[in-house]
DNA sequence: GGCTCAGTTGAGAACTCTTCTCAACGGTGT
DNA sequence: ACACCGTTGAGAAGAGTTCTCAACTGAGCC
């Protein structure tokens, strides 16, 4: 049930929309696709600074990807806004509150039913939801335990 | 099921923790408690500027309230970070994507079960979740329909 | 009430984050 | 290869957020 395959054929998406797929866009995409944890825009810009990707481009591109539905926003344990790669299909993130490692899962506790109920009770026309689950990943639990020398 | 009573006795909370409850803190609290929609920090600062509340204080206080669990963060339709008053007990927000009106509800599709499953599958130690449901409120649906003169 | 003191406040400066500008550049289709 | 048009990046500009520190104020106690 966890980690639905995260492989968008991004190049095809761009081509199909007639948007140029540049070297910078590829590099930014690879940064996210190759990461197993959420990153802020600033972190992304830092990581790619040496590789000939300007920060204005990183800001523009992350927003573009997000608008195209190729990236998803999540909040980390400190409320910082981060992005993660391909939430292909319907999925939600399980985020490590310490290191931001993300595991995607599909399936939620049948929110469709809840949404129908809410819509009926409130008159709102429901169009979506946002679910994030927070936890501490195994390796951060480990680290935490080791640091626990009677503190 | 919707709108669990939102009345924290905030003064008691402060007193009990030995933190001074100032005029400014009261005003900021009343701003949120009296609102039926989410507000950004900047909006809050603007609203209270005339009433002798400095913006530094608004930033500090919203963060303080949030840390004390007296306010909850939500994202609006544009991804802007907003805050809403007393999510007393366990509840989640239904947010209007247009005007940010918020209705709180308790009950989620039994995420406890989902969390147990996720914890078992991934080894994460789950400590919480964040659920927001998005919709268009009745009055914004109305407005939208009126503006729909063949556009 | 009045006293004391630690915690709070606010104007403005400083700092950080994000967007803009515009000339050079580089995908894309032919 | 060529031309076209969207993209890029350095630096500046603009927002948004935090900091500084002297003046102030809530809270506990006579
Ligand atoms: Mn879902
Ligand atoms: Mn819940
Ligand atoms: Zn971790
Ligand atoms: Zn609305």
């Amino acid at each position: 049930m966890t980690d639905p395959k995260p492989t968008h054929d991004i190049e095809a998406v761009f081509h199909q929309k007639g948007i140029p797929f540049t070297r910078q866009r590829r590099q930014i995409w690879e940064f996210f696709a190759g990461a197993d944890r959420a990153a802020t825009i600033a972190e992304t810009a830092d990581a790619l600074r040496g590789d000939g990707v300007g920060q204005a481009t990183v800001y523009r591109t992350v927003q573009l990807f997000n608008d195209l539905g190729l990236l998803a926003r999540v909040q980390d344990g400190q409320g910082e806004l981060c992005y993660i790669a391909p939430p292909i299909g319907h999925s939600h993130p399980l985020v490590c509150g310490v290191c931001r490692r993300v595991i995607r899962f599909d399936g939620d506790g049948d929110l469709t039913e809840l949404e129908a109920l809410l819509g009926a009770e409130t008159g709102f026309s429901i169009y979506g939801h946002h679910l994030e689950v927070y936890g501490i990943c195994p390796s951060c639990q480990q680290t935490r335990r080791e640091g626990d020398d009677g503190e």
Side-chain angles (χ1 to χ4, degrees), chain A residues 90 92 108 111 129:
Chain A
H90 188 102
H92 297 288
D108 38 44
L111 296 178
H129 62 250

Side-chain angles (χ1 to χ4, degrees), chain A residues 37 96-101 136-140:
Chain A
R37 63 199 63 194
C96 175
V98 177
C99 71
R100 291 193 216 153
R101 175 151 42 221
I136 315 278
C137 76
S139 79
C140 286

